[in-house]
Amino acid sequence: QQQVKQSPQSLIVQKGGISIINCAYENTAFDYFPWYQQFPGKGPALLIAIRPDVSEKKEGRFTISFNKSAKQFSLHIMDSQPGDSATYFCAASSRVAGSARQLTFGSGTQLTVLP
Amino acid sequence: DTAVSQTPKYLVTQMGNDKSIKCEQNLGHDTMYWYKQDSKKFLKIMFSYNNKELIINETVPNRFSPKSPDKAHLNLHINSLELGDSAVYFCASSQRTGDRAFFGQGTRLTVV
């Protein structure tokens, strides 16, 4: 059972365009929603994250939009650059075993930005 | 200084062998994880340790055994390797109550 559904699986955009990746979750116990960026041969690295008490968070060219009632969130990359080409994972975090937390990842989106 | 380091980066071995992957973090975190990334890049948690105590143990064959000698190290030992074990294995760490996980560079395991 996939608790965090991510789409699209792959995305190609032109340089300067907007990249949009969508995620949906089912478990209402999730209370933290990060996005990770992974380059080939590297481990995932945190890009930006949001908590469900806000509807939007922006850091530079990256924005998360969050819709708590629909249980959906999305990543927008403005003015996409070739250097943004990577795999993007949405994730959701919940509390497990006392105060410990667990991340559940979406299936990933391979973003290619054409020069 | 590498925050989360794994060794080896590449591991090629024959079916039936036993192998270990080592992980060390110098971030002072008290929680460490092992994730498996399959050929479709899907990331799935395998284990989580907090202060050397196992707190998450997902449905993983018991051929996989994590070992944490101290809170800065979490090693993964795999017995009787199978072709389906081929994947990239990532070690990660975080504070117990923190949400941000820091990942190592991964170990690409190929079983032939």
Side-chain angles (χ1 to χ4, degrees):
Chain A
Q1 180 185 2
Q2 189 177 351
Q3 294 196 52
V4 180
K5 296 183 179 180
Q6 183 172 346
S7 63
Q9 186 175 4
S10 62
L11 180 62
I12 300 174
V13 301
Q14 293 286 342
K15 178 182 176 180
I18 302 174
S19 304
I20 302 175
I21 304 170
N22 300 300
C23 285
Y25 63 98
E26 300 167 358
N27 187 350
T28 55
F30 290 140
D31 58 6
Y32 177 76
F33 301 88
W35 285 86
Y36 281 77
Q37 180 187 54
Q38 184 181 25
F39 292 104
K42 302 293 185 183
L46 180 67
L47 184 64
I48 186 173
I50 196 169
R51 296 196 182 276
D53 53 348
V54 297
S55 60
E56 184 176 283
K57 183 173 182 180
K58 183 176 181 179
E59 290 183 3
R61 296 184 294 107
F62 301 91
T63 300
I64 300 177
S65 297
F66 188 84
N67 186 329
K68 186 174 181 178
S69 60
K71 291 188 283 187
Q72 296 176 346
F73 58 111
S74 60
L75 176 69
H76 292 64
I77 306 175
M78 311 299 288
D79 187 25
S80 298
Q81 299 296 312
D84 297 331
S85 297
T87 301
Y88 292 80
F89 294 92
C90 63
S93 175
S94 60
R95 184 169 295 181
V96 296
S99 57
R101 301 190 65 85
Q102 178 173 337
L103 272 175
T104 301
F105 284 89
S107 54
T109 296
Q110 177 67 53
L111 171 65
T112 302
V113 182
L114 301 176
Chain B
D1 285 345
T2 303
V4 181
S5 61
Q6 301 177 223
T7 54
K9 186 171 183 178
Y10 300 97
L11 184 55
V12 181
T13 188
Q14 290 186 325
M15 284 176 54
N17 284 351
D18 302 339
K19 290 294 179 184
S20 292
I21 306 172
K22 296 184 177 181
C23 179
E24 176 182 6
Q25 55 95 3
N26 62 6
L27 297 168
H29 290 162
D30 52 12
T31 302
M32 296 185 71
Y33 313 82
W34 279 108
Y35 283 84
K36 179 179 179 179
Q37 186 170 48
D38 62 23
S39 59
K40 296 183 179 180
K41 296 195 174 181
F42 188 69
L43 273 164
K44 183 169 171 36
I45 191 167
M46 301 174 67
F47 302 103
S48 173
Y49 265 75
N50 175 259
N51 283 326
K52 303 194 297 177
E53 177 185 356
L54 181 66
I55 57 174
I56 295 173
N57 184 357
E58 293 294 309
T59 305
V60 175
N62 57 16
R63 299 180 294 103
F64 290 79
S65 55
K67 288 185 171 53
S68 181
D70 56 61
K71 73 174 189 177
H73 295 83
L74 181 62
N75 304 322
L76 183 65
H77 189 76
I78 315 170
N79 290 325
S80 304
L81 279 155
E82 301 177 356
L83 293 176
D85 297 332
S86 295
V88 181
Y89 292 85
F90 285 100
C91 177
S93 73
S94 71
Q95 290 292 6
R96 179 180 174 95
T97 56
D99 295 301
R100 179 175 183 174
F102 291 77
F103 284 78
Q105 65 181 4
T107 296
R108 181 174 293 278
L109 171 65
T110 304
V111 182
V112 297

